[in-house]
Amino acid sequence: KLLQKAKDLSLHNIRIIHDDAKNIISGMIYDASLAGIHIFFPDPWPKKKHHKRRLLTFDFLIKLEKKLRRDGYIHIVTDWEEYGDSIETNIKLIDNLELNATRQKGIIKSRPQTKFERRGLDQGNRVREIVVFKKIS
């Protein structure tokens, strides 16, 4: 579907990589090269013994921050409240990242709805959007 949509829209600046996000961020993306990163509904690994498998750990958020250009952003969406709390706690520990409710509105407005979002809403979960910006220093 993605390839067909890119073709239909005559997009030529798109790259698709089938690999683990941790490998891509660590080995394929230059530091300070991304204007924005979007992570929609990462697996929450709800059991405590599986939390170590979560994508958005403190260490991975540090790696993502390094890939952002000055004033770049990370847009995260989850319907798992405890995971959202954990992500925000980790973000607050990173000096170069800041939550800014005023600046996030335009980014949130342009997000498509995913099947994971529809599933979460059907289950009565609240969708939580987190947009964090790299500080300009």
Side-chain angles (χ1 to χ4, degrees):
K1 282 184 171 182
L2 177 64
L3 290 172
Q4 185 60 50
K5 189 161 189 154
K7 182 179 178 185
D8 293 346
L9 295 170
S10 298
L11 297 177
H12 303 288
N13 64 343
I14 186 169
R15 302 294 179 264
I16 300 168
I17 303 168
H18 183 74
D19 200 348
D20 187 292
K22 291 179 181 179
N23 294 337
I24 294 166
I25 291 297
S26 295
M28 299 180 191
I29 306 293
Y30 291 113
D31 287 353
S33 66
L34 301 176
I37 300 169
H38 298 268
I39 303 171
F40 299 157
F41 300 93
D43 193 328
W45 293 100
K47 293 181 181 176
K48 188 156 180 74
K49 67 181 181 178
H50 295 144
H51 284 191
K52 64 183 175 277
R53 296 180 182 173
R54 288 179 169 176
L55 177 65
L56 297 172
T57 63
F58 175 79
D59 291 337
F60 191 66
L61 286 165
I62 290 280
K63 289 179 183 179
L64 291 177
E65 179 272 322
K66 289 180 174 136
K67 303 304 174 181
L68 291 175
R69 294 191 306 213
R70 287 183 46 193
D71 204 30
Y73 65 89
I74 305 169
H75 181 193
I76 302 163
V77 185
T78 183
D79 67 332
W80 202 263
E81 187 149 352
E82 185 275 329
Y83 194 18
D85 291 343
S86 172
I87 293 165
E88 282 194 7
T89 297
N90 286 329
I91 287 168
K92 289 174 183 173
L93 296 173
I94 302 171
D95 290 336
N96 289 335
L97 294 177
E98 66 182 348
L99 296 163
N100 186 320
T102 305
R103 295 177 60 207
Q104 75 180 14
K105 290 180 182 171
I107 294 165
I108 289 174
K109 196 175 187 180
S110 67
R111 180 179 67 78
Q113 188 179 54
T114 70
K115 70 178 181 179
F116 296 104
E117 180 174 7
R118 286 188 293 279
R119 186 181 307 155
L121 291 171
D122 288 346
Q123 294 173 354
N125 296 345
R126 182 176 72 90
V127 172
R128 184 167 178 182
E129 308 235 13
I130 302 167
V131 180
V132 57
F133 294 87
K134 185 167 185 170
K135 291 180 183 175
I136 302 171
S137 50

